[in-house]
Amino acid sequence: MDKPSDPKSSEPLFEADRIYTDTASEGGDFRFDAAVARVFPDMIRRSVPGYTTLIPMIGIITERFAQDGTFCYDLGCSLGASTLAMRHGVGDRQCKVIGIDNSPDMIERGHHFIALDDHPAPVELRCEDILHSQLENASVTTLNFTLQFIEPDQRPELLGRIARATQPGGALILSEKIRFEMDWEQTLQTDLHHDFKRANGYSDLEISRKRSAIEQVLIPETITTHRERLLDAGFDRVTLWYQNFNFVSLLALKRP
């Protein structure tokens, strides 16, 4: 796969993910630090089934729900893949796309990806904690594999703030790794996800090390829990629009 370069440098913007091939990766929790930022596009493509399909679909959903004179938020934007999809989705409507992430390394590299894109819609990247960011006048908000890294007891308040900031007719795109209510289904879907990773070149050792690192910081929940919380937060309708193994995306809507 060709690797995009910074227009001011010949250096590639990302590298192949080899973080968990090194014994130095053992023993610590997963963090969105400089090492992860350097390999993130490769890591997420090889780790999240269907990711390269899901991102352009976010653009299509944005195209349907974006409203003139509003903001479109990408909360936990990492390097800005969803931000750029939303940017193209707004088309010629007068919307500003705001990407927010609390990792300075992600935001720094994200600016380079934004600079490589020539769509005229304005984009702002903010290095902030989304739990404390100001949200207002939103027509589309994306939480793309972000909520799962927030403590469960803090999730209702965040979703409530998003719902209150969302204009009538607006939408929230919530993508998450989930757990299943039946033990057999959880085991099967986890095994299939690991098979997907092996097919993308990860070794059993890499899979095991990353799982150990991430299981304390990524806390998945069931679709039922997500659906009920979104309705409690103030959204009127919730639909499952995407699933690939144990990765899903929900669309939560405010009535016009």
Side-chain angles (χ1 to χ4, degrees), residues 6-7 13-14 37-38 40-41 74 77-84 87 99-101 103-117 123-126:
D6 184 337
L13 283 180
F14 65 89
R38 284 195 299 271
F40 190 70
D74 183 10
C77 64
S78 61
L79 299 182
S82 299
T83 307
L84 288 173
R87 183 189 213 181
I100 303 175
D101 202 286
S103 167
D105 299 300
M106 288 290 189
I107 290 294
E108 179 183 357
R109 286 182 173 266
H111 279 294
H112 296 303
F113 285 100
I114 299 300
L116 289 170
D117 181 70
V123 171
E124 177 184 355
L125 297 184
R126 300 177 184 172

Side-chain angles (χ1 to χ4, degrees), residues 12-165:
L13 283 180
F14 65 89
E15 304 168 6
D17 176 20
R18 299 187 180 89
I19 288 179
Y20 293 99
T21 61
D22 189 343
T23 56
S25 64
E26 291 184 288
D29 289 343
F30 181 86
R31 296 182 299 167
F32 290 97
D33 55 14
V36 168
R38 284 195 299 271
V39 304
F40 190 70
D42 185 58
M43 173 185 285
I44 198 162
R45 178 186 62 83
R46 295 164 63 200
S47 300
V48 177
Y51 185 78
T52 54
T53 298
L54 190 151
I55 290 297
M57 295 304 102
I58 288 174
I60 289 174
I61 293 171
T62 300
E63 183 177 1
R64 172 173 288 269
F65 291 100
Q67 302 172 22
D68 269 316
T70 63
F71 298 110
C72 294
Y73 291 97
D74 183 10
L75 304 181
C77 64
S78 61
L79 299 182
S82 299
T83 307
L84 288 173
M86 297 174 80
R87 183 189 213 181
H88 286 263
V90 302
D92 59 2
R93 278 164 286 196
Q94 299 302 304
C95 298
K96 183 176 184 179
V97 182
I98 300 174
I100 303 175
D101 202 286
N102 66 356
S103 167
D105 299 300
M106 288 290 189
I107 290 294
E108 179 183 357
R109 286 182 173 266
H111 279 294
H112 296 303
F113 285 100
I114 299 300
L116 289 170
D117 181 70
D118 61 0
H119 193 280
V123 171
E124 177 184 355
L125 297 184
R126 300 177 184 172
C127 188
E128 297 176 353
D129 185 339
I130 63 172
L131 294 174
H132 305 296
S133 293
Q134 180 179 350
L135 306 175
E136 60 182 348
N137 190 27
S139 57
V140 183
T141 299
T142 297
L143 280 166
N144 207 32
F145 306 111
T146 297
L147 192 69
Q148 59 200 22
F149 290 102
I150 294 173
E151 290 294 331
D153 62 354
Q154 296 178 312
R155 296 174 188 180
E157 172 59 24
L158 173 61
L159 294 177
R161 288 175 53 234
I162 295 170
R164 290 190 294 273

Side-chain angles (χ1 to χ4, degrees), residues 205-252:
L205 181 60
E206 288 175 287
I207 293 169
S208 176
R209 283 176 173 169
K210 185 175 182 182
R211 184 175 186 178
S212 296
I214 208 166
E215 63 184 1
Q216 298 302 317
V217 294
L218 191 162
I219 304 172
E221 297 174 302
T222 66
I223 290 179
T224 299
T225 298
H226 285 298
R227 190 186 303 273
E228 291 176 352
R229 187 189 287 125
L230 287 165
L231 293 172
D232 289 343
F235 290 98
D236 299 301
R237 297 174 180 173
V238 180
T239 183
L240 174 69
W241 69 271
Y242 172 88
Q243 179 174 355
N244 197 323
F245 300 146
N246 47 355
F247 291 83
V248 306
S249 192
L250 299 165
L251 187 60

